[in-house]
C-alpha cells in the first residue's frame, strides 16, 4: 500500500526491511519520511516569518582573523622599539588549525521549530548543546571531541516558492543565534544545505559572510538536490563528484584568502545512487571532505549500508555516520557509541538526528 503521492507508507517500509539489499531497505525507510520532513521543514521555517536571506550583513559578521596581543623582540642596544601587535592566526573552536586526526566531530542536527528534522529542533538550544557535550564524551576514544551544531541553513520545500527553487533559506537571526551558541560552547557550526532546485554552489555562496569565520563549515544533503521536474519529498535527489569538487574549491578559496583553519565539507549519503562519479573527488588543501553514511534501520542494517557506502570510496575521504533517534528505533534500537566506533574505518564525524 502506498500513500496518495505514490510513495511507500511507513508500514510498508517496515515490512520491506526484511528483504532486499541494505541500501534498498534503508531507502524504503527513508522514502516514508521524505514527504513528512519536507512538510515539517516548511512548517518550522514558517515560525520565523518570511524566507530570510540566509546571510549576515557585512557589518554584523565578525572577522575570521582575530588579532592577538604580543610584543616584538627587544634589541640588545640602548634603543628599545615600541611593542607591536602580532596577528594570531584563526583557530578551530577548541584549538589548532587541523581537524584530523586530532579531533572526532560529534554533533546534533536540526532546525528550531521543526522537531521532526532533528535534535536541535526541539527544547532549549543551550540545554540541547549541554546534552550534546555529555553525549560527545562517549566518543572520546583516543581523540579529542569537537561538538558540532549542524543547522539547516537551506531547507528543501515541497512547494516552489516565489523563485521556483523549492527551497527556503533560514533567517539570518537564526544563523546568528546558533553561531553565538557555538562560540559560547567552543563548538563548530555546520551549515546544512538542502538545495531543492537551486544550485548547491549558489546556496553555499549565499552563506559567504558566515563561512569566513573559522568555526563554520558546510554540510550538503544530496538527497534533497532536485533536478528539473523533481519535487522534494517525492523522490531522491542527487549530486556528482564534480559538484562536490566545485563546492570544495570555493571553500578552499575562502580558507586561503582569510588564512582560516580547516573548514569541513560534509556530504550526507543515504545510497550510492545519490552521488554519481564519486571517483573524481579529489583532496583540496584546507577542506577535509567527509562522507557521512545516512542510512536508517537496525544496527545490522546500518552496518550493511555502511559497508556498501565505504567500500571502494576514494582514499582521501573522511567518514561520518548518522544516527536517528526515532527512525532507527522503530522496531529496533539505537546503536551504542562503542558499536559506532567499531566500524571500519572508524567514523570521524558522528551526528544524531
Amino acid at each position: 500500500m502506498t500513500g496518495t503521492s505514490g510513495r511507500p507508507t511507513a508500514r510498508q517500509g517496515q515490512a520491506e526491511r526484511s528483504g532486499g539489499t541494505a541500501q534498498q531497505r534503508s531507502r524504503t525507510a527513508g522514502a516514508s519520511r521524505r514527504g513528512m520532513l519536507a512538510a515539517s521543514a516548511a512548517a518550522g521555517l514558517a515560525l520565523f516569518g518570511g524566507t530570510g536571506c540566509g546571510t549576515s550583513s557585512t557589518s554584523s559578521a565578525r572577522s575570521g582573523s582575530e588579532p592577538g596581543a604580543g610584543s616584538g623582540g627587544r634589541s640588545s642596544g640602548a634603543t628599545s622599539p615600541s611593542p607591536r601587535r602580532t596577528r594570531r592566526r584563526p583557530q578551530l573552536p577548541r584549538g589548532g588549525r587541523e581537524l584530523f586526526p586530532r579531533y572526532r566531530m560529534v554533533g546534533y542536527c536540526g532546525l528550531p521549530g521543526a522537531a521532526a528534522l532533528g535534535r536541535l529542533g526541539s527544547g532549549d538550544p543551550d540545554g540541547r548543546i549541554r546534552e550534546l557535550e555529555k553525549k560527545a564524551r562517549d566518543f572520546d576514544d583516543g581523540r579529542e571531541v569537537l561538538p558540532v551544531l549542524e543547522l539547516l541553513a537551506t531547507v528543501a520545500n515541497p512547494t516552489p516558492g516565489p523563485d521556483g527553487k523549492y527551497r527556503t533559506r533560514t533567517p539570518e537571526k537564526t544563523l546568528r543565534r546558533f553561531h553565538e551558541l557555538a562560540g559560547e560552547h567552543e563548538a563548530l557550526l555546520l551549515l546544512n544545505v538542502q538545495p531543492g532546485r537551486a544550485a548547491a554552489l549558489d546556496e553555499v555562496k549565499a552563506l559567504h559572510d558566515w563561512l569566513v569565520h573559522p568555526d563554520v563549515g558546510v554540510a550538503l544533503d544530496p538527497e534533497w538536490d532536485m533536478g528539473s521536474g523533481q519535487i522534494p519529498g517525492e523522490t531522491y535527489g542527487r549530486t556528482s563528484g564534480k559538484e562536490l569538487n566545485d563546492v570544495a574549491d570555493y571553500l578552499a578559496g575562502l580558507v586561503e584568502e582569510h588564512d582560516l583553519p580547516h573548514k569541513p565539507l560534509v556530504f550526507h549519503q543515504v545510497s550510492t545512487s545519490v552521488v554519481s562519479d564519486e571517483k573524481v573527488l579529489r583532496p583540496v588543501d584546507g577542506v577535509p571532505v567527509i562522507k557521512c553514511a545516512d542510512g536508517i534501520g537496525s544496527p545490522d542494517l546500518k552496518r550493511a549500508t555502511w559497508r556498501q557506502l565505504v567500500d571502494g570510496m576514494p582514499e582521501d575521504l573522511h567518514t561520518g555516520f548518522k544516527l536517528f533517534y526515532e527512525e532507527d528505533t522503530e522496531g529496533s534500537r539505537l546503536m551504542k557509541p562503542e558499536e559506532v566506533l567499531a566500524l571500519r574505518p572508524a567514523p570521524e564525524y558522528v551526528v544524531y538526528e
Side-chain angles (χ1 to χ4, degrees), residues 4-352:
T4 56
S5 65
R7 298 188 302 278
T9 63
R11 181 174 297 179
Q12 182 187 32
Q14 291 171 3
E16 291 183 0
R17 287 178 192 173
S18 61
T21 67
Q23 287 191 53
Q24 288 171 338
R25 287 172 293 179
S26 183
R27 289 185 65 178
T28 298
S32 67
R33 71 187 179 102
R34 282 198 303 272
M36 178 271 291
L37 292 182
S40 297
L45 283 170
L47 295 177
F48 298 112
T51 59
C53 64
T55 59
S56 67
S57 64
T58 303
S59 61
S60 67
R62 296 196 301 270
S63 169
S65 300
E66 300 177 359
S71 61
R74 294 183 179 273
S75 67
S76 58
T79 303
S80 298
S82 300
R84 63 183 181 183
R85 296 178 67 85
T86 59
R87 180 178 177 276
R88 181 177 181 269
R89 301 182 75 191
Q91 305 284 303
L92 291 167
R94 301 202 171 188
R97 289 175 54 84
E98 295 185 2
L99 270 172
F100 308 124
R102 175 175 175 177
Y103 292 107
R104 174 169 286 108
M105 299 160 53
V106 180
Y108 277 174
C109 70
L111 178 71
L117 298 182
R119 202 67 169 174
L120 294 181
S122 63
D124 172 63
D126 190 74
R128 278 285 184 249
I129 298 171
R130 295 185 188 282
E131 177 184 298
L132 167 63
E133 290 177 316
K134 182 178 180 180
K135 170 68 68 176
R137 290 197 290 269
D138 294 335
F139 293 91
D140 182 6
D141 183 33
R143 291 194 185 195
E144 296 180 48
V145 172
L146 179 60
V148 175
L149 310 182
E150 186 170 328
L151 178 70
L152 275 69
T154 304
V155 185
N157 299 155
T159 54
D163 59 3
K165 299 295 186 182
Y166 287 84
R167 61 90 177 93
T168 303
R169 293 175 179 171
T170 298
E172 174 185 325
K173 65 180 181 180
T174 305
L175 300 182
R176 182 181 299 111
R177 180 188 184 194
F178 274 81
H179 189 215
E180 291 171 351
L181 284 169
E184 291 170 7
H185 291 269
E186 296 182 316
L188 184 74
L189 178 64
L190 268 186
L191 298 180
N192 182 294
V193 172
Q194 299 178 353
R197 289 193 195 171
L201 181 58
D202 289 345
E203 294 307 303
V204 172
K205 287 181 176 180
L207 297 167
H208 169 275
D209 288 353
W210 298 102
L211 294 174
V212 297
H213 296 292
D215 57 351
V216 181
V218 170
L220 298 179
D221 234 333
E223 176 183 350
W224 302 95
D225 193 337
M226 300 289 116
S228 176
Q230 293 182 325
I231 296 176
E234 293 191 357
T235 185
Y236 277 112
R238 64 186 302 172
T239 189
S240 66
K242 180 184 182 305
E243 185 174 45
L244 294 172
N245 282 338
D246 289 344
V247 174
D249 287 341
Y250 173 73
L251 296 178
L254 296 180
V255 169
E256 181 177 6
E257 179 182 357
H258 298 278
D259 190 29
L260 299 175
H262 279 185
K263 187 171 293 295
L265 170 60
V266 175
F267 67 94
H268 293 285
Q269 189 169 1
V270 66
S271 166
T272 54
S273 66
V274 302
V275 181
S276 63
D277 299 326
E278 186 179 280
K279 296 295 185 183
V280 307
L281 281 172
R282 48 180 170 69
V284 182
D285 288 343
V287 181
V289 179
I290 304 166
K291 175 178 182 173
C292 187
D294 213 17
I296 293 172
S298 67
D300 285 343
L301 178 56
K302 291 177 76 74
R303 290 187 192 98
T305 301
W306 169 263
R307 289 192 294 270
Q308 291 176 333
L309 289 175
V310 304
D311 184 36
M313 72 177 188
E315 292 182 1
D316 295 305
L317 290 186
H318 300 271
T319 54
F321 194 74
K322 182 179 278 191
L323 296 155
F324 297 84
Y325 274 110
E326 293 187 6
E327 289 90 342
D328 284 350
T329 58
E330 291 178 0
S332 185
R333 63 173 177 83
L334 198 67
M335 288 181 71
K336 299 175 182 178
E338 56 266 29
E339 293 176 307
V340 174
L341 292 174
L343 296 170
R344 291 294 177 266
E348 294 179 282
Y349 176 37
V350 180
V351 57
Y352 287 83

